Amino acid sequence: MTRKVEAISSQLQVHPNHVRSLVQQHHALAQLPVEKLVRQLPPLAHALSIPLQQALHMAARQPAVLDCEPQQVVASCVRLAAAAQLPVEQAMFLAARQPLLLDCPLSRLAAETAKLAAALGCSNSGALQLLSRLNGAELQAVLNMSSTTVLQRLPEVVEALGLPTDSTRGLDLLGLVSKNPSVLAKSPNDIGRSTDALLIAFQSSAPGTFAAVLVKCPHLLTHPAERLLATYQAVLMQLQVSRQTAARMLVKHPQLLRSSPESITQKLRVMAFKMYLPQVRSPRRSAERKLGLCVRAMEACAAMQ
C-alpha cells in the first residue's frame, strides 16, 4: 500500500498524507491503476473546476466516475442543479464531495431533500449539503427516512447519550446535525458506546463539559468507541500526565481524539526529538504546551493535504 500511495502522490502531485488517508478510508482506490488516475483525473478536475485532490476524493468515493467522459459528469451536475434549484457551480462542488448524489433518481433526491429540509428547519440547499457529507451507506439510510423518522432521531440521540439534563443543557442538536449529519444514520447503540468512551476521557470534568466538547467537535459522537479509547490511552501514555490533566487539555483540543493512536505517538516523538520545547517548571504546563504543539502540527499537516 505504501508504494501505491507514493506512486499516486508522485504522479498527481497530491500530498502523500492526503492520499494515504483516502486509501485507508476507501480501499477501492488502492485497486485503481495509477495510469488510469493520471489519465482521467486532470480532465475531470478541469471540467468541474475543482482541485485535483478533490477529484481524487471523488474517484475514491465512486471509482465509476473515471469511466465517464468529463462532460458527461458535468451534464449530470447541470441536471442536479436544475432539480435542486442550485447554481451549477454549487452542484459541481456537492457532486465532487459525494458523487453518489449523481446516481440518485433526481425526482426522488429532490423530494427527499425537501422532506429533510422541512424536518430540520433548513433550506433545500442546506439539506443537500448535509447529504453530500454522508458516506454511501449513511446517504441511503437518511434518504430512506421519513421526515417523521428524522424528527424522532433527535430525541433518540439525547436518550442514547444517557446523561443527566445538566450535562446536555447546552447541546444544540440541530446545530450538531448540521455539523455532523452522520448522527442521523448512526444507531443509538453506537452513539451510546461512543458516549461511554468520551465519558471515560472527560470523567473528571464539570457536567457541562460534555456539551461544550461536542459543540467544538461533534464528529466525536459518531467516532468508533474503540478508536476513541485507544487514542485516549495513547495521549496518557505519551504525555505521562494524570487523567485530570489530560481531560483539561482535551477539552481545549477535543479534535485530537479523532486522530489515530499511531499518529499521536509518531508526532509526539518527532516533536520530542526534533522540536525545541522550552523547559518550564510546571509539568502540567509543559504537557499542555506539548499537546498544543501536537494539535497545531496535525492541523498544519491537514492544511497541506
Side-chain angles (χ1 to χ4, degrees), residues 145-248:
M145 288 181 182
S146 66
S147 55
T148 302
T149 304
V150 171
L151 289 175
Q152 288 174 343
R153 290 290 290 139
L154 300 181
E156 284 177 0
V157 170
V158 175
E159 186 177 348
L161 297 180
L163 299 173
T165 304
D166 58 352
S167 296
T168 57
R169 184 175 292 117
L171 189 59
D172 174 11
L173 281 176
L174 289 179
L176 189 149
V177 169
S178 70
K179 295 178 181 177
N180 182 17
S182 299
V183 167
L184 294 174
K186 287 291 182 180
S187 73
N189 287 338
D190 287 341
I191 292 175
R193 284 191 287 270
S194 295
T195 300
D196 291 341
L198 290 171
L199 289 177
I200 291 174
F202 298 104
Q203 59 186 334
S204 59
S205 304
T209 299
F210 190 81
V213 165
L214 289 183
V215 168
K216 283 185 177 180
C217 192
H219 288 82
L220 291 176
L221 201 55
T222 52
H223 202 65
E226 61 276 11
R227 295 186 189 178
L228 289 170
L229 290 174
T231 300
Y232 175 61
Q233 292 298 330
V235 169
L236 290 177
M237 182 175 65
Q238 291 300 315
L239 293 178
Q240 297 185 1
V241 295
S242 68
R243 292 178 180 269
Q244 291 80 4
T245 299
R248 285 196 297 270

Side-chain angles (χ1 to χ4, degrees), residues 6-295:
E6 291 175 350
I8 294 174
S9 173
S10 174
Q11 292 292 319
L12 294 177
Q13 295 296 298
V14 176
H15 197 281
N17 286 350
H18 183 76
V19 178
R20 187 176 298 108
S21 176
L22 284 177
V23 170
Q24 290 172 347
Q25 295 175 52
H26 308 281
H27 299 300
L29 180 60
Q31 307 305 318
L32 293 172
V34 177
E35 297 78 13
K36 186 174 185 178
L37 292 171
V38 173
R39 183 175 64 253
Q40 297 293 97
L41 285 182
L44 179 64
H46 178 74
L48 296 178
S49 301
I50 58 175
L52 192 56
Q53 68 179 34
Q54 184 62 46
L56 181 62
H57 174 89
M58 190 177 187
R61 277 196 153 178
Q62 178 57 300
V65 299
L66 296 178
D67 297 323
C68 301
E69 290 296 325
Q71 291 308 313
Q72 287 180 285
V73 180
V74 171
S76 296
C77 291
V78 171
R79 289 192 291 270
L80 174 62
Q85 298 182 336
L86 296 173
V88 174
E89 293 78 10
Q90 187 174 358
M92 288 179 175
F93 169 79
L94 296 177
R97 189 155 63 179
Q98 179 46 280
L100 290 175
L101 290 174
L102 300 178
D103 294 338
C104 296
L106 292 180
S107 57
R108 182 195 174 207
L109 182 61
E112 297 300 331
T113 298
K115 286 196 297 187
L116 180 62
L120 297 178
C122 64
S123 65
N124 287 5
S125 173
L128 195 58
Q129 289 189 46
L130 293 184
L131 292 175
S132 74
R133 286 156 54 190
L134 299 171
N135 63 37
E138 292 169 344
L139 176 63
Q140 291 305 318
V142 173
L143 287 177
N144 289 331
M145 288 181 182
S146 66
S147 55
T148 302
T149 304
V150 171
L151 289 175
Q152 288 174 343
R153 290 290 290 139
L154 300 181
E156 284 177 0
V157 170
V158 175
E159 186 177 348
L161 297 180
L163 299 173
T165 304
D166 58 352
S167 296
T168 57
R169 184 175 292 117
L171 189 59
D172 174 11
L173 281 176
L174 289 179
L176 189 149
V177 169
S178 70
K179 295 178 181 177
N180 182 17
S182 299
V183 167
L184 294 174
K186 287 291 182 180
S187 73
N189 287 338
D190 287 341
I191 292 175
R193 284 191 287 270
S194 295
T195 300
D196 291 341
L198 290 171
L199 289 177
I200 291 174
F202 298 104
Q203 59 186 334
S204 59
S205 304
T209 299
F210 190 81
V213 165
L214 289 183
V215 168
K216 283 185 177 180
C217 192
H219 288 82
L220 291 176
L221 201 55
T222 52
H223 202 65
E226 61 276 11
R227 295 186 189 178
L228 289 170
L229 290 174
T231 300
Y232 175 61
Q233 292 298 330
V235 169
L236 290 177
M237 182 175 65
Q238 291 300 315
L239 293 178
Q240 297 185 1
V241 295
S242 68
R243 292 178 180 269
Q244 291 80 4
T245 299
R248 285 196 297 270
M249 292 185 293
L250 289 170
V251 167
K252 296 179 181 179
H253 307 288
Q255 67 272 29
L256 189 61
L257 287 172
R258 295 187 64 205
S259 303
S260 67
E262 298 77 16
S263 174
I264 296 290
T265 300
Q266 180 185 15
K267 286 182 171 63
L268 286 176
R269 285 178 177 173
V270 167
M271 284 191 297
F273 288 101
K274 294 186 177 181
M275 294 181 66
Y276 171 71
L277 297 178
Q279 297 296 315
V280 293
R281 293 185 179 182
S282 168
R284 181 177 69 82
R285 290 188 62 189
S286 178
E288 286 179 347
R289 178 171 295 181
K290 185 186 293 184
L291 182 60
L293 287 169
C294 178
V295 172

